[in-house]
Amino acid sequence: MSLKSFQLNLVNLRPWLTLLAVVWLLASLGLGWLVNSLLIIVGLLLLAPVIAFFGFRWWLQSNLVADQCPVCKHEFTGLNNSQLQCPNCGEQLLVQNSHFRRFTPDGTIDITAIEVPSQSLED
């Protein structure tokens, strides 16, 4: 057997020797950690969508606001702490503290008109 044929045989055996070394290392450590980690990963993959569904549902219940437009009294929904437009009258609205209020730029004074019956003015 020549040196060249021995080197060729060694090159052909290299992947098998590597596999044997990995198997020997895993056998000496034990495979319990591998099975446990696979079970944990599968469990997380099964639980993650359920947790995400209930988490999103809780977030939506705490942030979804159903109220009336202060201008036209049209009832619709919006997300808390956001700015939106009334679908009925087109008024710009802010959603704050679970209520809709008119959007007024800085420096604008917003007033609320009160209807007074004419008979009370005469008295």
Side-chain angles (χ1 to χ4, degrees):
M1 181 181 257
S2 69
L3 181 63
K4 192 168 198 156
S5 65
F6 180 72
Q7 287 176 345
L8 287 175
N9 286 337
L10 189 60
V11 169
N12 291 337
L13 289 177
R14 185 173 291 168
W16 293 106
L17 291 174
T18 305
L19 182 64
L20 181 65
V22 169
V23 168
W24 178 75
L25 182 65
L26 288 176
S28 66
L29 292 175
L31 295 178
W33 64 272
L34 184 63
V35 172
N36 287 339
S37 61
L38 288 176
L39 288 176
I40 289 171
I41 290 172
V42 168
L44 287 176
L45 287 175
L46 292 175
L47 285 177
V50 174
I51 292 171
F53 173 74
F54 284 111
F56 178 71
R57 197 169 158 196
W58 170 81
W59 177 84
L60 197 57
Q61 284 178 347
S62 64
N63 286 317
L64 194 64
V65 175
D67 199 15
Q68 292 182 344
C69 173
V71 177
C72 67
K73 305 298 183 208
H74 178 73
E75 188 167 331
F76 63 101
T77 59
L79 291 176
N80 207 7
N81 299 324
S82 66
Q83 183 178 350
L84 50 91
Q85 187 174 9
C86 176
N88 193 34
C89 66
E91 183 71 27
Q92 292 290 328
L93 302 172
L94 287 175
V95 186
Q96 290 179 336
N97 300 327
S98 299
H99 291 291
F100 294 153
R101 70 174 189 86
R102 291 179 63 196
F103 173 71
T104 52
D106 290 338
T108 304
I109 300 173
D110 193 16
I111 60 168
T112 304
I114 299 173
E115 188 174 330
V116 178
S118 61
Q119 189 176 27
S120 68
L121 290 176
E122 294 173 1
D123 291 337

